[in-house]
Amino acid sequence: MTGVFPCPDGSVVRPPHCQPMFHRVLAAQELAVRQALIDMCARFAGPDRDAASRAELVLAEVMNNIVQHGTGRGKEPASSAAGMAVTIHLTVARHKGGLCCAVRDDGRPLPPSCLLADAPAVDLVVPPCSGFGWPIVRALTQSLFYYREGTRNVLSFNVPLVEGGALGTPCSDVA
Amino acid sequence: MQLTTLPLPGGIHVRLDESRLDAVIAIRFKDRLREIVAHHGPLILLDLGAVDFMDSSGLGAILAIRRTLPDSRRIELTGVTPNVDRVLRLTHMDTIFTIHRDSDPAGNRA
């Protein structure tokens, strides 16, 4: 899965044009989310920096949504409702068309309306203070896809190498 | 979470000395900014020059403060980095804030 094949002498062989994917298992907590994002960006720094920055923003919105709503805790960390313990599995893989991301968690189901609804027109006279997360996710991703697998949420999407760029090869074409 | 304030003619320059305005600090940032705007003005020049990552919780904190400002006070932004600019643009909030993009922001005139 990682594209890296260990040899008996301890060295690794990496096929040409193939980078190992980024994978992290983390608790659904703000600090753990922040660290995972910092590490993911460091991993894809260099020529893919801009795509990594967009992926960072999208993944922040997705994972903080899990922290707040997947756990049932709500927006206020200090609230008495501690929420349930939720584990997030984050995977990011570079392919020819961009950064393919998958987020899995064992929290509450994601309301499908988050993905389907068109962004409501923003009131520019009295702008809201929240509700910007999913419009940001929809604006910066391609092939956004969600399903519930038993007790888990699975969300996957592609972040193109160029903002608004054409969809390249499918996510399955990691190499 | 570190905020540095500097008096300005007609207001105050508030610099957030953090590289990330995210869900980790959004609520503390909002509470500190609320204290500051209660005692200064009418211009609150919020300097985000050190911030290279902001998510919707950070934006929401700024908007929450803006929403509770009396009419006589206003928040303007300076030092907007590309990633912060992207969030403002995607949410159309670049149209509601005055954003100082020149290299000599008002904050340096103090």
PDB file of all heavy atoms in Angstrom, chain A residues 18-43:
ATOM      1  N   CYS A  18       6.597   7.162  -7.563  1.00  0.00           N
ATOM      2  CA  CYS A  18       5.694   6.730  -6.493  1.00  0.00           C
ATOM      3  C   CYS A  18       6.207   7.268  -5.165  1.00  0.00           C
ATOM      4  O   CYS A  18       7.382   7.145  -4.850  1.00  0.00           O
ATOM      5  CB  CYS A  18       5.634   5.210  -6.437  1.00  0.00           C
ATOM      6  SG  CYS A  18       4.468   4.600  -5.229  1.00  0.00           S
ATOM      7  N   GLN A  19       5.320   7.915  -4.414  1.00  0.00           N
ATOM      8  CA  GLN A  19       5.674   8.396  -3.088  1.00  0.00           C
ATOM      9  C   GLN A  19       4.860   7.622  -2.069  1.00  0.00           C
ATOM     10  O   GLN A  19       3.712   7.288  -2.326  1.00  0.00           O
ATOM     11  CB  GLN A  19       5.333   9.871  -2.943  1.00  0.00           C
ATOM     12  CG  GLN A  19       6.032  10.799  -3.913  1.00  0.00           C
ATOM     13  CD  GLN A  19       5.578  12.234  -3.685  1.00  0.00           C
ATOM     14  OE1 GLN A  19       5.318  12.649  -2.578  1.00  0.00           O
ATOM     15  NE2 GLN A  19       5.486  12.982  -4.770  1.00  0.00           N
ATOM     16  N   PRO A  20       5.429   7.403  -0.901  1.00  0.00           N
ATOM     17  CA  PRO A  20       4.632   6.754   0.136  1.00  0.00           C
ATOM     18  C   PRO A  20       3.477   7.651   0.554  1.00  0.00           C
ATOM     19  O   PRO A  20       3.598   8.875   0.540  1.00  0.00           O
ATOM     20  CB  PRO A  20       5.620   6.546   1.286  1.00  0.00           C
ATOM     21  CG  PRO A  20       6.735   7.501   1.036  1.00  0.00           C
ATOM     22  CD  PRO A  20       6.796   7.698  -0.449  1.00  0.00           C
ATOM     23  N   MET A  21       2.375   7.043   0.909  1.00  0.00           N
ATOM     24  CA  MET A  21       1.237   7.840   1.349  1.00  0.00           C
ATOM     25  C   MET A  21       1.439   8.288   2.795  1.00  0.00           C
ATOM     26  O   MET A  21       2.267   7.731   3.524  1.00  0.00           O
ATOM     27  CB  MET A  21      -0.059   7.049   1.206  1.00  0.00           C
ATOM     28  CG  MET A  21      -0.165   5.846   2.097  1.00  0.00           C
ATOM     29  SD  MET A  21      -1.788   5.079   1.954  1.00  0.00           S
ATOM     30  CE  MET A  21      -1.805   4.521   0.272  1.00  0.00           C
ATOM     31  N   PHE A  22       0.703   9.313   3.175  1.00  0.00           N
ATOM     32  CA  PHE A  22       0.717   9.782   4.566  1.00  0.00           C
ATOM     33  C   PHE A  22      -0.444   9.111   5.288  1.00  0.00           C
ATOM     34  O   PHE A  22      -1.581   9.168   4.813  1.00  0.00           O
ATOM     35  CB  PHE A  22       0.553  11.301   4.597  1.00  0.00           C
ATOM     36  CG  PHE A  22       0.494  11.879   5.988  1.00  0.00           C
ATOM     37  CD1 PHE A  22       1.650  12.245   6.656  1.00  0.00           C
ATOM     38  CD2 PHE A  22      -0.722  12.045   6.627  1.00  0.00           C
ATOM     39  CE1 PHE A  22       1.589  12.779   7.932  1.00  0.00           C
ATOM     40  CE2 PHE A  22      -0.791  12.575   7.912  1.00  0.00           C
ATOM     41  CZ  PHE A  22       0.376  12.947   8.565  1.00  0.00           C
ATOM     42  N   HIS A  23      -0.145   8.496   6.414  1.00  0.00           N
ATOM     43  CA  HIS A  23      -1.221   7.847   7.169  1.00  0.00           C
ATOM     44  C   HIS A  23      -1.050   8.188   8.645  1.00  0.00           C
ATOM     45  O   HIS A  23       0.066   8.183   9.160  1.00  0.00           O
ATOM     46  CB  HIS A  23      -1.174   6.338   6.972  1.00  0.00           C
ATOM     47  CG  HIS A  23      -2.313   5.635   7.649  1.00  0.00           C
ATOM     48  ND1 HIS A  23      -3.616   5.795   7.251  1.00  0.00           N
ATOM     49  CD2 HIS A  23      -2.341   4.802   8.707  1.00  0.00           C
ATOM     50  CE1 HIS A  23      -4.402   5.076   8.045  1.00  0.00           C
ATOM     51  NE2 HIS A  23      -3.655   4.472   8.944  1.00  0.00           N
ATOM     52  N   ARG A  24      -2.154   8.501   9.310  1.00  0.00           N
ATOM     53  CA  ARG A  24      -2.091   8.865  10.720  1.00  0.00           C
ATOM     54  C   ARG A  24      -3.370   8.401  11.404  1.00  0.00           C
ATOM     55  O   ARG A  24      -4.461   8.578  10.859  1.00  0.00           O
ATOM     56  CB  ARG A  24      -1.940  10.390  10.850  1.00  0.00           C
ATOM     57  CG  ARG A  24      -1.948  10.970  12.259  1.00  0.00           C
ATOM     58  CD  ARG A  24      -0.724  10.583  13.077  1.00  0.00           C
ATOM     59  NE  ARG A  24       0.545  10.933  12.431  1.00  0.00           N
ATOM     60  CZ  ARG A  24       1.155  12.102  12.588  1.00  0.00           C
ATOM     61  NH1 ARG A  24       0.643  13.042  13.356  1.00  0.00           N
ATOM     62  NH2 ARG A  24       2.290  12.336  11.972  1.00  0.00           N
ATOM     63  N   VAL A  25      -3.211   7.810  12.560  1.00  0.00           N
ATOM     64  CA  VAL A  25      -4.353   7.474  13.408  1.00  0.00           C
ATOM     65  C   VAL A  25      -4.316   8.423  14.595  1.00  0.00           C
ATOM     66  O   VAL A  25      -3.284   8.542  15.258  1.00  0.00           O
ATOM     67  CB  VAL A  25      -4.291   6.009  13.892  1.00  0.00           C
ATOM     68  CG1 VAL A  25      -5.494   5.684  14.776  1.00  0.00           C
ATOM     69  CG2 VAL A  25      -4.219   5.056  12.705  1.00  0.00           C
ATOM     70  N   LEU A  26      -5.411   9.146  14.837  1.00  0.00           N
ATOM     71  CA  LEU A  26      -5.385  10.161  15.882  1.00  0.00           C
ATOM     72  C   LEU A  26      -6.715  10.226  16.627  1.00  0.00           C
ATOM     73  O   LEU A  26      -7.758   9.834  16.088  1.00  0.00           O
ATOM     74  CB  LEU A  26      -5.051  11.541  15.294  1.00  0.00           C
ATOM     75  CG  LEU A  26      -6.031  12.114  14.261  1.00  0.00           C
ATOM     76  CD1 LEU A  26      -6.098  13.626  14.419  1.00  0.00           C
ATOM     77  CD2 LEU A  26      -5.584  11.780  12.841  1.00  0.00           C
ATOM     78  N   ALA A  27      -6.642  10.728  17.852  1.00  0.00           N
ATOM     79  CA  ALA A  27      -7.860  10.968  18.622  1.00  0.00           C
ATOM     80  C   ALA A  27      -8.540  12.213  18.072  1.00  0.00           C
ATOM     81  O   ALA A  27      -7.889  13.151  17.613  1.00  0.00           O
ATOM     82  CB  ALA A  27      -7.518  11.164  20.094  1.00  0.00           C
ATOM     83  N   ALA A  28      -9.872  12.220  18.106  1.00  0.00           N
ATOM     84  CA  ALA A  28     -10.624  13.376  17.614  1.00  0.00           C
ATOM     85  C   ALA A  28     -10.558  14.493  18.651  1.00  0.00           C
ATOM     86  O   ALA A  28     -11.471  14.706  19.441  1.00  0.00           O
ATOM     87  CB  ALA A  28     -12.071  12.982  17.322  1.00  0.00           C
ATOM     88  N   GLN A  29      -9.412  15.204  18.660  1.00  0.00           N
ATOM     89  CA  GLN A  29      -9.177  16.335  19.561  1.00  0.00           C
ATOM     90  C   GLN A  29      -8.448  17.422  18.770  1.00  0.00           C
ATOM     91  O   GLN A  29      -7.618  17.113  17.902  1.00  0.00           O
ATOM     92  CB  GLN A  29      -8.310  15.904  20.755  1.00  0.00           C
ATOM     93  CG  GLN A  29      -8.972  14.856  21.632  1.00  0.00           C
ATOM     94  CD  GLN A  29      -8.003  14.227  22.623  1.00  0.00           C
ATOM     95  OE1 GLN A  29      -6.803  14.494  22.588  1.00  0.00           O
ATOM     96  NE2 GLN A  29      -8.531  13.377  23.483  1.00  0.00           N
ATOM     97  N   GLU A  30      -8.693  18.680  19.121  1.00  0.00           N
ATOM     98  CA  GLU A  30      -8.157  19.788  18.328  1.00  0.00           C
ATOM     99  C   GLU A  30      -6.633  19.745  18.191  1.00  0.00           C
ATOM    100  O   GLU A  30      -6.094  19.972  17.110  1.00  0.00           O
ATOM    101  CB  GLU A  30      -8.558  21.146  18.933  1.00  0.00           C
ATOM    102  CG  GLU A  30      -9.984  21.573  18.636  1.00  0.00           C
ATOM    103  CD  GLU A  30     -10.943  21.188  19.735  1.00  0.00           C
ATOM    104  OE1 GLU A  30     -10.540  20.373  20.613  1.00  0.00           O
ATOM    105  OE2 GLU A  30     -12.077  21.688  19.736  1.00  0.00           O
ATOM    106  N   LEU A  31      -5.929  19.482  19.291  1.00  0.00           N
ATOM    107  CA  LEU A  31      -4.460  19.494  19.228  1.00  0.00           C
ATOM    108  C   LEU A  31      -3.916  18.367  18.357  1.00  0.00           C
ATOM    109  O   LEU A  31      -2.942  18.552  17.621  1.00  0.00           O
ATOM    110  CB  LEU A  31      -3.871  19.404  20.639  1.00  0.00           C
ATOM    111  CG  LEU A  31      -3.621  20.735  21.340  1.00  0.00           C
ATOM    112  CD1 LEU A  31      -3.189  20.491  22.791  1.00  0.00           C
ATOM    113  CD2 LEU A  31      -2.577  21.570  20.613  1.00  0.00           C
ATOM    114  N   ALA A  32      -4.554  17.201  18.431  1.00  0.00           N
ATOM    115  CA  ALA A  32      -4.102  16.082  17.603  1.00  0.00           C
ATOM    116  C   ALA A  32      -4.369  16.366  16.137  1.00  0.00           C
ATOM    117  O   ALA A  32      -3.563  16.018  15.261  1.00  0.00           O
ATOM    118  CB  ALA A  32      -4.810  14.796  18.049  1.00  0.00           C
ATOM    119  N   VAL A  33      -5.491  17.017  15.847  1.00  0.00           N
ATOM    120  CA  VAL A  33      -5.808  17.400  14.467  1.00  0.00           C
ATOM    121  C   VAL A  33      -4.759  18.382  13.956  1.00  0.00           C
ATOM    122  O   VAL A  33      -4.234  18.243  12.849  1.00  0.00           O
ATOM    123  CB  VAL A  33      -7.225  18.008  14.378  1.00  0.00           C
ATOM    124  CG1 VAL A  33      -7.439  18.690  13.030  1.00  0.00           C
ATOM    125  CG2 VAL A  33      -8.280  16.929  14.604  1.00  0.00           C
ATOM    126  N   ARG A  34      -4.434  19.379  14.785  1.00  0.00           N
ATOM    127  CA  ARG A  34      -3.442  20.375  14.375  1.00  0.00           C
ATOM    128  C   ARG A  34      -2.109  19.705  14.035  1.00  0.00           C
ATOM    129  O   ARG A  34      -1.494  19.995  13.009  1.00  0.00           O
ATOM    130  CB  ARG A  34      -3.236  21.409  15.491  1.00  0.00           C
ATOM    131  CG  ARG A  34      -2.132  22.391  15.183  1.00  0.00           C
ATOM    132  CD  ARG A  34      -1.745  23.219  16.397  1.00  0.00           C
ATOM    133  NE  ARG A  34      -2.512  24.450  16.484  1.00  0.00           N
ATOM    134  CZ  ARG A  34      -2.240  25.412  17.374  1.00  0.00           C
ATOM    135  NH1 ARG A  34      -1.239  25.265  18.220  1.00  0.00           N
ATOM    136  NH2 ARG A  34      -2.970  26.504  17.413  1.00  0.00           N
ATOM    137  N   GLN A  35      -1.655  18.801  14.897  1.00  0.00           N
ATOM    138  CA  GLN A  35      -0.358  18.156  14.663  1.00  0.00           C
ATOM    139  C   GLN A  35      -0.380  17.303  13.398  1.00  0.00           C
ATOM    140  O   GLN A  35       0.587  17.284  12.628  1.00  0.00           O
ATOM    141  CB  GLN A  35       0.035  17.306  15.878  1.00  0.00           C
ATOM    142  CG  GLN A  35       1.489  16.854  15.835  1.00  0.00           C
ATOM    143  CD  GLN A  35       2.449  18.032  15.765  1.00  0.00           C
ATOM    144  OE1 GLN A  35       2.398  18.944  16.571  1.00  0.00           O
ATOM    145  NE2 GLN A  35       3.335  18.033  14.765  1.00  0.00           N
ATOM    146  N   ALA A  36      -1.481  16.594  13.172  1.00  0.00           N
ATOM    147  CA  ALA A  36      -1.583  15.766  11.957  1.00  0.00           C
ATOM    148  C   ALA A  36      -1.514  16.638  10.708  1.00  0.00           C
ATOM    149  O   ALA A  36      -0.873  16.269   9.713  1.00  0.00           O
ATOM    150  CB  ALA A  36      -2.881  14.964  11.981  1.00  0.00           C
ATOM    151  N   LEU A  37      -2.138  17.810  10.758  1.00  0.00           N
ATOM    152  CA  LEU A  37      -2.122  18.713   9.603  1.00  0.00           C
ATOM    153  C   LEU A  37      -0.720  19.262   9.354  1.00  0.00           C
ATOM    154  O   LEU A  37      -0.265  19.350   8.209  1.00  0.00           O
ATOM    155  CB  LEU A  37      -3.106  19.867   9.827  1.00  0.00           C
ATOM    156  CG  LEU A  37      -4.584  19.475   9.872  1.00  0.00           C
ATOM    157  CD1 LEU A  37      -5.430  20.658  10.314  1.00  0.00           C
ATOM    158  CD2 LEU A  37      -5.049  18.950   8.523  1.00  0.00           C
ATOM    159  N   ILE A  38      -0.031  19.626  10.438  1.00  0.00           N
ATOM    160  CA  ILE A  38       1.342  20.129  10.299  1.00  0.00           C
ATOM    161  C   ILE A  38       2.227  19.049   9.674  1.00  0.00           C
ATOM    162  O   ILE A  38       3.009  19.314   8.754  1.00  0.00           O
ATOM    163  CB  ILE A  38       1.884  20.570  11.684  1.00  0.00           C
ATOM    164  CG1 ILE A  38       1.150  21.832  12.157  1.00  0.00           C
ATOM    165  CG2 ILE A  38       3.387  20.797  11.632  1.00  0.00           C
ATOM    166  CD1 ILE A  38       1.446  22.208  13.602  1.00  0.00           C
ATOM    167  N   ASP A  39       2.082  17.819  10.145  1.00  0.00           N
ATOM    168  CA  ASP A  39       2.919  16.728   9.637  1.00  0.00           C
ATOM    169  C   ASP A  39       2.572  16.390   8.194  1.00  0.00           C
ATOM    170  O   ASP A  39       3.455  16.086   7.382  1.00  0.00           O
ATOM    171  CB  ASP A  39       2.761  15.494  10.535  1.00  0.00           C
ATOM    172  CG  ASP A  39       3.304  15.743  11.941  1.00  0.00           C
ATOM    173  OD1 ASP A  39       4.040  16.732  12.125  1.00  0.00           O
ATOM    174  OD2 ASP A  39       2.980  14.962  12.851  1.00  0.00           O
ATOM    175  N   MET A  40       1.276  16.437   7.861  1.00  0.00           N
ATOM    176  CA  MET A  40       0.870  16.152   6.488  1.00  0.00           C
ATOM    177  C   MET A  40       1.462  17.199   5.541  1.00  0.00           C
ATOM    178  O   MET A  40       1.979  16.869   4.468  1.00  0.00           O
ATOM    179  CB  MET A  40      -0.660  16.142   6.396  1.00  0.00           C
ATOM    180  CG  MET A  40      -1.241  15.743   5.045  1.00  0.00           C
ATOM    181  SD  MET A  40      -1.260  17.048   3.801  1.00  0.00           S
ATOM    182  CE  MET A  40      -2.389  18.218   4.544  1.00  0.00           C
ATOM    183  N   CYS A  41       1.413  18.467   5.952  1.00  0.00           N
ATOM    184  CA  CYS A  41       1.951  19.534   5.095  1.00  0.00           C
ATOM    185  C   CYS A  41       3.459  19.391   4.917  1.00  0.00           C
ATOM    186  O   CYS A  41       3.985  19.621   3.825  1.00  0.00           O
ATOM    187  CB  CYS A  41       1.620  20.901   5.691  1.00  0.00           C
ATOM    188  SG  CYS A  41       0.122  21.569   5.015  1.00  0.00           S
ATOM    189  N   ALA A  42       4.147  19.028   5.988  1.00  0.00           N
ATOM    190  CA  ALA A  42       5.591  18.827   5.891  1.00  0.00           C
ATOM    191  C   ALA A  42       5.892  17.695   4.923  1.00  0.00           C
ATOM    192  O   ALA A  42       6.855  17.755   4.145  1.00  0.00           O
ATOM    193  CB  ALA A  42       6.167  18.522   7.275  1.00  0.00           C
ATOM    194  N   ARG A  43       5.060  16.688   4.947  1.00  0.00           N
ATOM    195  CA  ARG A  43       5.254  15.522   4.088  1.00  0.00           C
ATOM    196  C   ARG A  43       5.118  15.888   2.602  1.00  0.00           C
ATOM    197  O   ARG A  43       5.817  15.358   1.745  1.00  0.00           O
ATOM    198  CB  ARG A  43       4.228  14.461   4.491  1.00  0.00           C
ATOM    199  CG  ARG A  43       4.116  13.260   3.607  1.00  0.00           C
ATOM    200  CD  ARG A  43       5.362  12.399   3.645  1.00  0.00           C
ATOM    201  NE  ARG A  43       5.193  11.311   2.704  1.00  0.00           N
ATOM    202  CZ  ARG A  43       5.264  11.466   1.388  1.00  0.00           C
ATOM    203  NH1 ARG A  43       5.550  12.636   0.886  1.00  0.00           N
ATOM    204  NH2 ARG A  43       5.062  10.442   0.593  1.00  0.00           N
TER     205      ARG A  43
END
